[in-house]
Amino acid sequence: MDFFKRYSAIGGSQPQSPTETIQRMADRAETSTLLEDKRAAVLGLKGLSREYKKDVGDVALDTLLKVLKEDSEDHNLLKAILETLNNLCVRDPPRGESPEADVVLADPVADKFSQAILQDNDDVISTFLGLLGDADFYVRYYTVQLLSALHMCSGDELQQRVLVSPTGVGRLVDLLSDQRDIIRNEGIQLLIAMTKSNADIQKIVAFENAFDHLLGIVDEEGGVRGNIIVQDCLQLLHNLLNYNVSNQNFFRETSGIQRLPALLVTDPSQTAAGRSGHPIPDADEDLEWTSQHALNMLVVLDIIRMLIQPGNTNTQSNQTAMQQCGIIPPLLQLALAYEAPSTVRSQALYAIGDVIRAHQANQSLFQRILITAAIEDDSDPSSQRAIPEPAIVIVIRLAVGKRPTTVAANEYYIVRAAAAHLVQAYVGGNADAQLALAATLTPPGDIGTITEPEQHQSAGSLIVSVLLDWREASKEDVWRVWYAALLLSTILRDHTECKEQALKITLGDASKGEEPFPLMNELMSQARQATQHVANVRVSVALLALISVWLVNFPKGVSVFLDESANISFIVEQISGSTGINALVQGVAAFMLGLVYQFDIDPESPMSRESLYPIISKRVGADQLLIRVQRLRDSKEFQYAVGLAAGTYSSAYGGSPAEVYFDSVFTDLFKMHYESFRAAVRLGPNEAMANPSYAYLHGGMAGYAGSAASGSAPGTPRMGGAATISRAASPSGGVTGSVHDSAPISRAAVEQSVAKSEFDALQAILAEQTNQVAQLKHALEISTAQAASDSAKLANDASSQLDQERQQRAQVEAERDEQASEIVRLRAQLDDVQKQLADSLESRQTTSDAGDGARVSELEQQVSALKLDSSKHEAHWQSQCDELQKKLANAEKQVVKAAAAGRNTNKKKEQQQATELVTLENDVRAKDEQIAKLTAQVSELSEK
C-alpha cells in the first residue's frame, strides 16, 4: 500500500484504490504526449501487474497494445510494455508449488489475456514478429518469451497467425543464429513447441536452412556430450523430420544423413567389446556416461530409426545413404560399448537392424564386418592377442550369452531383445544368411563341453548349448534360454535346408557305445524335464514353440519326432491333464499335436496318420484339442505378443519382460496355420492329406475352404461311409460332436474309396476343361468385338485425318490468296513510285535546280522507305514460305501414315490430294518467282 500512498501524495490528497491507480496510469499512458510521461505510466503498470494481474489486464491491456503499435521506436518503452504483457500472459503456478515447475496446466487469468491478444483486430502478432528483428537484447528476449506464453495458451491460433505473416517463420528461424545464447535458447524452445504437430511450419523451418543451424549449434556445444541445449536442438531436428516425408527427403538431399555418423562418436571413444560381448576398459579412459549424454544419444538414435522405418517409400534410399556414409561401424561400436547404458546399447542395436532390414547390400556389408577385440590368453594371462570375429557372432553372443554381473536381468533384457531384433533383420529375406548360421549349429560335445567358454564356441553351438543346459542358464537369466529358442526358430523358419541341417545334429558318442540321439528329440526331452521340475514356464513354452516351428511343412522332421514314442505320450499327457499344468503349455502342446497330425505325410513315418487319428479323436478328443488351442489364442500372454508384433503395445525395448511369453516367429506361425489346424484335426486319416498344398482324397479342400455336406455347418469336412459324426446340442447352445467307428475299415472299402476318388478326379478334370473351353469362347467373342471396335475406330481416325488435311489445304489456299493480294498491292505502290519519278523528270525541266534537288531528295526518301518495306515483306514472305513447306511436309507425312494404316478405299482421294499438293508446290514456286521479279524491280528503282 506504500506505493498507492506515494502515488496519491503526488496526484492528490485522497488515497486511491488499486483499481483507480491502474485506471489513472492507463489513461496517462494513452493520452500523454510526452514520451517520458508514457514511459513512467507503463513502468507503474508493470510494477502493479505482478500483484494486481487481473486488474491491470482488464483496465490497461488495450492501452498497452495501442502504445506498443504507435510508439515502437523507444526501446525503454518497448521493454516496459513487453515485460508487462509477459506478466499478464505467463501462467503462474498454483500456490504451494514451486515457481520453476515444468508445466503449469492452467491459469484462467493468463489464458484470458493471451486469448485477447491473439484476437486483436489490428493483428498485433505481426508487430511482435517484427520486433524479433530488433537488435536490442531485451526487446528481442521479452518478445520471444511473450510468443512462447501465447503459444502455451493457444498454439494453433498463434501458428495460423505466424503462417499468414510473410516473414513470420523466417524471423523465428533467425533466432537460431543469434549470437546471444539466451535468445537463441528461447528461440529453440519456441520452435520446438511450434513444430511439434504443424507440418506447414515444419516445412518452412526446414527450407529456412534450419538443419545446418541446428547441427552447427550441436557441434559448438560439444556434440552429444554437450548440455541440455544439444538435446533441445536434436529434439527440434526430430520434430522437423517426424512424419514429414518432404523434410526427410530434403534432409537426405542436403547431405544431412552424412552428418549423423559424427554424432555417434563420443569422446572418449568406446572400447571394442571382447569376445564375450563385454569390453575390457582402459584404466586411463573416462568411460562415465552422464544422464544428459545418454539422453542426447537416444534422440540421435531415434532420428536414425525414424528415417528408416519399415514400409516408408524413402526407407531404402535412406538405408543406402546411411550405408554409403559409414554409419554401421559407429553404431556397432556404440552397441558393444560396455560402459554405455543398456538403453543406449539396445537402441544402437535396433538402429543397425533397421539399417540392414530387407536391404541386400547392407546385409552383405554387415556379414563382412569383422570385430577385433583383445582377450586374455588362458595360457599366459599377462599376454593378449587379437582375434577377429564376425559381427553377427558377437551380436548373437549378446542375445544368449552371460550378462554382466553388475546389470540386473530385467535391465539387460532390453539388450538381448535388441540383439535378437538385429539377428532377425539380418536373416529376414536372406536365405544365404540363414543357411550360413545353420551350418554353425553343432552339438557342444563336438568342441568340448556345454560349459565351454562362450568365446570358444560358434554362434550355432552357443545357441544349442544354452538350450541343452537350460537349468544352469535359467538360474542366471531365463531370457538366455528364451532368446536362444527365438534365434534358432529364426534360423529354421521357412527354410527346409536349414531344418534338414539341424535335423542331422545328434548327441551321444558312438565310440563309447552311446546311441546317437537327434537334437529335436533331445530338446523335447529337455522340455519334458522343464515341465516336470516346475521350472519357469517360459522355458517350456519356448522349447515347445521352437519345435513347432521346426515341424511345420517338414514331414522328415515329423518322422523323427514320432520315432521317439515318449514325445507323443508327453504331449498327450500335457493336453489331457486337468491340474498342475500351465494353460500356456497345454495350448502349445495341443497346437504341436495338430501340426504333427497335419504334416505326417512321410511314407517312412514310424506312426501313420491312421495311428494318430484315434489318439486325437478318442484319447484326447478333437473338441478338447481345439479348446486348448483356442484358450491359448485368447490368453492375455498370447494377445500381448500379437500386439507387440502389430504395434499395439510399445516395442521400443522389446516389450515389458513381465508380459512376454511368446516370440514373434511362433505368433506368426500360429496365425498362419490356425484355421488349417482347426480343419485338419477334424478330418479322418482317409479324408484329406495334411498339407493344404496337396489334394484331398474326398471333396477337394473340404476342411480348409469351408465346404461341407448338405445340412452341415460351414467348415465341417465330409466323412466317408466308414465313420459317422453324431452331434448333440450343448447346454450353451453350441454343437458338440464325437466320432464313432461304425465298422472296421476293410481293404475293399478302401479300394472302393480310391476308385471313387479317381472318378471324382476325372469329373473334376472334365469340368475344368469344359470351363476352359467356355472361357476360350468368351475370350474369342471379346476379341471379335474388340476387332470390330478397332476397325470402327480406325475408320473414324482416317476420316478425322482427312478432315484435318482438308482444313490445312483450305488454310494454305487462304494464305496463298492473301499473299497474292499483297503482291498486287506492292505492284500498285511501285507503279505510283514510277509515276512520281516520271513527274519529277518533267518538273525538273521547268523548275529550278534547288527545287529539283528537293524533289529528288524526297523521291529518294520514298524509294528508301519502299525498299525497306519491301525487304520486310520479303523476309515475312520467306518465313511464310518456310511454314508452308513445313505444313506441306506434315501433310505428306499424314498421307503416308493414312496409306500405311490400310486406307485402300480412299486411294483416289489420296491421289487427288497428292495432285493438290503438287499444285500447292507449283503455286509456291510461282510466288517465289513473283517475289524475285518484285525484288528486281525494287533494285532497279533504287538505282534510278
Side-chain angles (χ1 to χ4, degrees), residues 838-849 852:
D839 294 341
S840 67
L841 291 175
E842 292 177 359
S843 62
R844 182 179 286 181
Q845 297 176 359
T846 59
T847 58
S848 64
D849 293 338
D852 292 342

Side-chain angles (χ1 to χ4, degrees), residues 42 51 117 132 274 279 327 484 521 571 577 595 612 692 697 761 811 880:
V42 173
E51 187 175 357
I117 293 175
L132 289 178
I327 204 171
N521 292 335
I571 292 178
L595 294 178
L612 283 174
L697 292 179
Q811 185 178 359
Q880 287 186 340

Side-chain angles (χ1 to χ4, degrees), residues 819 823 873-874 877-878 881 926-936:
Q819 290 179 356
I823 291 172
H873 281 286
E874 183 180 0
W877 291 335
Q878 186 63 38
C881 287
K927 289 181 180 179
D928 291 338
E929 293 174 358
Q930 292 175 0
I931 291 172
K933 291 178 181 180
L934 186 59
T935 305

Side-chain angles (χ1 to χ4, degrees), residues 377-431:
D377 193 344
D378 296 337
S379 60
D380 186 5
S382 61
S383 65
Q384 291 187 342
R385 56 191 176 91
I387 300 179
E389 282 188 306
I392 187 63
V393 175
I394 295 181
V395 172
I396 291 177
R397 195 170 294 142
L398 285 177
V400 301
K402 296 180 180 179
R403 63 178 171 84
T405 56
T406 57
V407 183
N410 282 348
E411 180 182 349
Y412 198 68
Y413 163 83
I414 61 177
V415 178
R416 297 191 189 277
H421 169 83
L422 174 51
V423 176
Q424 289 181 307
Y426 168 67
V427 172
N430 191 348

Side-chain angles (χ1 to χ4, degrees), residues 830-843 855-856 859-860 863 940-942 944:
L830 285 174
D831 293 340
D832 292 341
V833 171
Q834 289 175 354
K835 184 177 180 181
Q836 290 177 1
L837 283 174
D839 294 341
S840 67
L841 291 175
E842 292 177 359
S843 62
R855 182 58 178 170
V856 170
L859 290 175
E860 287 178 352
V863 170
E940 292 175 357
L941 184 59
S942 62
K944 292 178 183 181

